[in-house]
Amino acid sequence: MADNQAANIQALLSVLSVFTSAPDKASLEKANSWLQDFQHSPEAWSTCNVLLLSPDAPPAAKLFATQTFRMKVTYDLHQVDPSNLLPLRDTLITALERYKSGPKTIITQLCLALSGLALQLPAWENALQSMVETFGTNPATVPVLLQFLTVLPEEVSGNTRIPVTDEEYLERSEKLLSGNSEQVLQLLSMYLQATGVTHAVQSQIFGCLRSWLVAGEINMSAFGKSPLLAFAFEALGSDELFDSAVDVVCEMIHETQEIDDYMPVIELIVPRVIALKNRLDEQKDDPEKIRGYAKIFAEAGETYRLLIFQHTDTFYPIVEAIGQCSAYPDLDIVPITFPFWMRLAQTIGKKSSVSPLFLEAYKGLMGVIIRHLHFPPDLTSMTGQEADNFRSFRHVMGDTLKDCCLVLGADTCLLSAYGLITIALSRGPQSISWQEIEAPLFAMRSMGAEVDLMDETAVPKIMDLIPSLPIHPRVRYAALLIVSRYTEWINRHPEYIAQQLQYISAGFEDPDAEVSAAAGQALKYLCQDCKQHLIEFLPTLHTFLTTTGAKLAQDDRRQVYEAIAYVISAMPMDKAAESLRTFSLDILSQIHTISSKSTAVTKQELKEVGYGLENLEVMLHVVGPFGDQLPAACQNSCQEAWLIFDVFISKFAFDYDTSERATRVLRHGVTLFGQTALSVASSVLSRMATSFEATGFSSFLWISGKIIGRFGQEEDPALRNAFQSLYERATSKVVGLLQLKDPRDIPDVLEDYVQLLLQLIRMTPDVFFQSSAFPLAFRATMAALTLIHSDLVFASLDLFRDILTHECLVPSSSPPPKFPIYVSAIMAVMDKEGFEFVGYILTGLVGDFPEDSAAVVVTIFRSIALLWSTQLIAWLPPILQQLPPTSAPNQAREQFLLDVTNALNTAQYDKVKYCVLGLHRASRKARDRRRVAPLNHA
């Protein structure tokens, strides 16, 4: 036995040494896996005890030993004989006494282990009192006790992995926490006032107090009578204790949120909080102090919000203090106050009358926020990351401006921002900065969502102001985004459309790419929201595209096409069809020209055609279908367009981006032309099959699946032949790819292939089951189950479920003529592939299948159990033997085999569900344990 333990220790030390020798990733993973397996073993208890008490053991080994004790107390206490549980407690306490001087990491892990043990060990009746008696009387061990008292409520309340029932938890937490809270208060008060107490111990005391407050285990009425309340506020004057005191003060305020129950305590807290207000001026040069005070004031403001309304004169200094924190120049501190302003605004919004004090507070806040919105005078003073962070934070500040609108009214806020711009403009162009204009414009944009669409006061002034703003890229960018935000208002005031269209058009000519992009966005939203009013402008927009469009960046050009499509969608059907044809022919002509070119096509020419396809796609997407009866302008368009695309795809299918774009356009073409597209469906499928065979690009499978989904129930013989040809050619190509490549290298192909198979089995089961491709398709789909790819795995499982639960497998006295053929095909493929297939299913279930896949696996497994029960009993033992023990523990595998065998032998097939779910739960628990216990070898 001793030799065994010595060997275990030597092996453990050897593996731990790997982490100190700068190993490669594979060695690290191997060592970590070994350590995790060791932590699971029953031998780990005694091995770690020897290590922990050995003076010669290296520090990393001792730390690992304490981590292992904590893990095993959480997960493996069942390994310990009940008679040895109290001795285990004594072992941990002995170790804690030995390490009373540190390291802190070891003390913490031992305290966590003791806390978890206390929760699960009712025989340890007075756990907290016994720890106090052991560690609480010697100043040298008081820090150990404080650490135990700190982690106890955290572990009892927060470690949900400890296996106790709800009843056990309630009983033990009552004894460990609630029943001891007053004693803990007395103990902490005594230690805080002890002679010679150090700042380090005082900080520990506050940390412990905060832990009990957070757990909700402190009776606040008792706390109000404790000296700890006053001590926490006094500690704010100490640099060493400031942070821990802030945390305690915030938590004590939070715990008094039931204001009717705790008014006596609140009356003690609030004057002390208000007294801190003067420190905002006194310590304004210390951002960390201001951050702490901001947390306290914001917590007080949120918690006592109703009291602020009921007793405004008394509580208003808290609002003023929060306002000062909002105005502080450090933008990391400012957002601490935002939740208060939001909740206060929501409360004010429900009141019939508002105190002038609150109106003044929000007016001041609005001015503060707009000042914070200013970009710095020198943008080069910010790094790229700082600039990105500031831009993101501006949007957060914009939300606070909406809170101001809720209190003051949107028109008041907009006019205030408008006034800042007009005052700046009145000083003349030489004496104003672009930041002075841009910040109020950004504010107007942020507040746009709150604007009344019928407003006749503020918004008309803003619309009239925009064309006269200084020509600066940042100003123009901000103004264009205002137009984007206010397009719904413009729709109610169409007299402003021409003016704003002119401003947008000028934006496209700006050399700054962001301005041009903003112009595209503004045009898109203007056309989307004002489409009825813009029909008369369509010729102008077409001219704009043919003249200026080629100069635009593609992203901007695509937005223009999208904008135009919104206008077309508002036109009468015949007119819309004519307009869509006009704009589409420009692009189709471009495609035809490049397809007909006898010389080599340049990359740039192909890229430009790709842009055209993107633009056509977005137009078709927005305009959508015309319904069952196509307008006259579209009657022959389907055949004409396909002739162009057929030649184009045959020539350029080998370009990946081009094939992706072309097939996306085809998808919208099928939607647009509807039943009319049936006439070209066979030709399209033939071209897609040829292109996929030649390139292996998944987009050709994707569009084929969409076409089968649309026309799969048509009885046209030529079309059904096209389905079968596509099925067999695509399957042959996929099988060939899988012989050359790992499935991980072609997930897109496999996903679109499986989706194609799903359309076939659901729309054309005769083609799916009767083809010689079926066994190959089944096997190819099994390969998809090996990938960590949720959508693909779900699709593959859906396909197998559809196959194995197909209605042809349900016994019937008069089945449809083809059902026996389907059954024969399914039986043949399962006889050949069943063993391997069940292996894939169970490996994925305990491995990398998505969490939500268990229900589909249950359905599949139940069907196999019902139809192949004899084979399944033979298949399972070798399959289960191959499952990794790290995700399928031996006990779980043995129980699964036993339960499934019993269910099959007694023909209780419904019980198979619980067998599968039990294995799944055991697997998830085992993997969760490995995932949540990363080892700290520092």
Side-chain angles (χ1 to χ4, degrees), residues 263 266-267 269-275 277 304 307-320 355 357-358:
M263 270 312 295
I266 293 170
E267 288 171 354
I269 292 173
V270 169
R272 289 178 166 86
V273 170
I274 291 174
K277 183 168 175 282
Y304 305 141
L307 292 173
I308 290 173
F309 275 102
Q310 294 167 3
H311 309 284
T312 303
D313 290 342
T314 301
F315 285 83
Y316 191 71
I318 294 176
V319 178
E320 291 179 312
S355 165
L357 289 174
F358 295 128

Side-chain angles (χ1 to χ4, degrees), residues 257-425:
Q257 57 190 303
E258 302 294 337
I259 54 178
D260 292 336
D261 296 336
Y262 296 122
M263 270 312 295
V265 187
I266 293 170
E267 288 171 354
L268 296 173
I269 292 173
V270 169
R272 289 178 166 86
V273 170
I274 291 174
L276 299 174
K277 183 168 175 282
N278 291 335
R279 297 192 191 179
L280 294 175
D281 290 323
E282 295 166 4
Q283 300 180 343
K284 63 184 178 184
D285 296 328
D286 187 341
E288 291 310 309
K289 291 287 177 65
I290 300 300
R291 184 192 307 276
Y293 294 131
K295 289 178 181 177
I296 291 172
F297 286 123
E299 185 64 55
E302 291 184 55
T303 304
Y304 305 141
R305 190 167 67 254
L306 293 179
L307 292 173
I308 290 173
F309 275 102
Q310 294 167 3
H311 309 284
T312 303
D313 290 342
T314 301
F315 285 83
Y316 191 71
I318 294 176
V319 178
E320 291 179 312
I322 296 172
Q324 279 184 257
C325 296
S326 297
Y328 196 69
D330 188 329
L331 295 187
D332 286 335
I333 293 171
V334 172
I336 294 171
T337 67
F338 289 171
F340 163 75
W341 294 117
M342 177 190 71
R343 293 190 176 97
L344 184 66
Q346 289 170 344
T347 306
I348 290 174
K350 299 172 185 175
K351 303 291 181 182
S352 56
S353 62
V354 183
S355 165
L357 289 174
F358 295 128
L359 298 179
E360 288 303 313
Y362 276 93
K363 284 178 185 176
L365 176 65
M366 185 175 60
V368 160
I369 295 298
I370 293 177
R371 283 199 300 276
H372 286 322
L373 287 172
H374 281 64
F375 277 101
D378 180 13
L379 287 181
T380 60
S381 65
M382 304 173 83
T383 66
Q385 186 60 54
E386 286 172 341
D388 288 344
N389 291 344
F390 180 62
R391 288 190 179 95
S392 297
F393 182 55
R394 295 177 100 214
H395 291 286
V396 176
M397 291 192 283
D399 290 337
T400 301
L401 287 173
K402 294 174 189 174
D403 299 329
C404 295
C405 290
L406 190 58
V407 175
L408 302 172
D411 55 345
T412 300
C413 294
L414 289 172
L415 287 172
S416 179
Y418 171 83
L420 292 173
I421 296 175
T422 55
I423 290 170
L425 292 175

Side-chain angles (χ1 to χ4, degrees), residues 720-791:
R720 300 193 78 74
N721 287 336
F723 291 158
Q724 181 172 342
S725 175
L726 169 77
Y727 176 28
E728 293 170 356
R729 293 167 72 184
T731 299
S732 177
K733 178 66 177 180
V734 169
V735 170
L737 288 172
L738 287 170
Q739 290 171 347
L740 299 172
K741 298 182 178 184
D742 190 286
R744 289 174 296 183
D745 297 331
I746 53 170
D748 54 338
V749 173
L750 287 173
E751 183 173 6
D752 287 323
Y753 176 65
V754 173
Q755 292 292 350
L756 171 67
L757 297 180
L758 280 168
Q759 294 298 337
L760 284 166
I761 190 175
R762 291 168 182 176
M763 305 300 291
T764 62
D766 55 331
V767 172
F768 182 76
F769 286 118
Q770 294 182 112
S771 169
S772 59
F774 172 57
L776 297 173
F778 191 99
R779 183 159 188 81
T781 307
M782 288 200 311
L785 295 176
T786 64
L787 301 186
I788 304 175
H789 190 301
S790 295
D791 290 343

Side-chain angles (χ1 to χ4, degrees), residues 81 240 295 578 644 805 868 878:
D81 187 277
E240 294 85 354
K295 289 178 181 177
E578 290 174 11
I644 295 172
T805 61
W868 291 274

